[in-house]
């Protein structure tokens, strides 16, 4: 199938990539979403955070992690001693995927075809920012960058080497923490996310 490679600018820079991605139609998600949500943040960041896919509010605003999951992430970054403006934040898939339930748009997990189609954008971002620490938030970026067999429940917080970054780790997605109904478990997951982010800060 087609991939985002087809839309890649000749001379990549972060602004050129974001502009080119706004015209990407390598998968069907561009037809239902409002707009592309490209990565943003410090172009010289030592830490890059990779989420799954923009949510409802991100789709409307055109910016990553500005909804409920983003607020929790900001809180956890602050507890880990890093500011949002210090890092670069992006997603594995750049267009929002959803199912309509009445007036609500419910987030739907991207499939492997969509992840594959979109991954040239992520690889290009990583190639430009060249982080010292790459943090995967949840299973989607972890499986895209660390392999399909990666299990977040088994290998969360473990430092690994990838072709994009010598120090790559995966941790809980903040949305998974928000969804957790068991309050005790939720608190524990949040502590683990903060601990993993702190590890990223200390090693970068
Ligand atoms: N969840 C994500 O994975 N990314 C966002 O940008 C927002 C919510
Ligand atoms: Fe292109 Fe990614 Fe959007 Fe699909 S989700 S159209 S690959 S930018």
């Amino acid at each position: 199938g087609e991939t985002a490679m087809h839309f890649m600018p000749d001379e990549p820079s972060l602004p050129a990539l974001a502009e080119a991605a706004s015209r990407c139609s390598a998968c069907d998600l561009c037809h239902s979403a409002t707009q592309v949500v490209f990565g943003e943040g410090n172009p010289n960041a030592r830490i890059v955070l990779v989420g799954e896919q923009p949510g409802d509010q991100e789709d409307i605003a055109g910016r990553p992690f500005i909804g409920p999951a983003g607020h929790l992430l900001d809180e956890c970054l602050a507890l880990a001693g890093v500011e949002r403006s210090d890092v670069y934040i992006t997603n594995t898939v750049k267009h929002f995927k959803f199912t309509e339930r009445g007036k609500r748009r419910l987030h739907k997990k991207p499939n492997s075809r969509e992840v594959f189609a979109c991954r040239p954008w992520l690889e290009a971002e990583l190639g430009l920012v060249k982080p010292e620490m790459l943090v995967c938030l949840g299973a989607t970026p972890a499986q895209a960058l660390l392999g399909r067999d990666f299990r977040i429940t088994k290998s969360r917080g473990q430092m690994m080497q990838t072709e994009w970054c010598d120090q790559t780790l995966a941790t809980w997605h903040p949305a998974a923490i928000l969804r957790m109904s068991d309050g005790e478990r939720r608190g524990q997951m949040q502590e683990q996310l903060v601990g993993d982010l702190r590890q990223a800060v200390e090693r970068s």
Side-chain angles (χ1 to χ4, degrees):
E2 195 177 20
T3 79
M5 218 44 226
H6 184 75
F7 300 87
M8 209 44 75
D10 292 334
E11 284 179 40
S13 64
L14 290 170
L17 289 176
E19 215 274 316
S22 73
R23 281 176 274 104
C24 182
S25 58
C27 78
D28 286 338
L29 298 180
C30 62
H31 302 302
S32 46
T34 307
Q35 59 188 318
V36 80
V37 177
F38 209 72
E40 66 170 34
N42 182 350
N44 304 311
R46 287 178 299 186
I47 302 174
V48 169
L49 304 173
V50 187
E52 179 174 77
Q53 190 172 32
D56 178 68
Q57 296 192 30
E58 287 80 11
D59 172 71
I60 293 161
R63 296 184 52 208
F65 282 103
I66 51 95
H71 291 139
L72 178 57
L73 181 61
D74 286 347
E75 203 181 298
C76 293
L77 285 170
L79 288 168
V82 65
E83 285 188 47
R84 169 89 173 233
S85 55
D86 289 335
V87 302
Y88 184 85
I89 302 193
T90 190
N91 281 299
T92 312
V93 170
K94 293 343 190 212
H95 276 107
F96 179 41
K97 182 179 183 182
F98 60 94
T99 46
E100 274 169 306
R101 193 74 56 78
K103 283 184 187 162
R104 294 175 60 212
R105 303 190 301 170
L106 300 183
H107 163 268
K108 219 174 149 191
K109 204 177 161 65
N111 61 37
S112 55
R113 191 166 27 82
E114 291 150 355
V115 169
F116 181 77
C118 210
R119 97 184 258 131
W121 296 126
L122 177 58
E123 294 199 50
E125 288 174 290
L126 295 174
L128 287 169
V129 180
K130 299 191 197 74
E132 284 172 30
M133 273 293 325
L134 178 53
V135 179
C136 300
L137 300 171
T140 298
Q143 290 178 349
L145 299 175
L146 292 158
R148 295 294 296 276
D149 296 334
F150 186 86
R151 292 290 170 268
I152 202 106
T153 45
K154 206 178 106 202
S155 305
R156 197 215 93 250
Q158 285 177 25
M159 202 59 74
M160 279 159 294
Q161 199 175 347
T162 58
E163 62 179 285
W164 304 278
C165 189
D166 287 347
Q167 303 188 94
T168 303
L169 71 75
T171 187
W172 301 121
H173 192 296
I177 298 175
L178 292 175
R179 275 196 306 270
M180 177 54 64
S181 52
D182 178 340
E184 198 178 322
R185 178 72 181 131
R186 190 169 58 242
Q188 185 186 49
M189 287 168 80
Q190 183 166 343
E191 272 174 34
Q192 290 174 333
L193 171 55
V194 172
D196 292 339
L197 292 173
R198 196 171 285 135
Q199 187 186 180
V201 172
E202 282 164 4
R203 293 212 200 185
S204 64

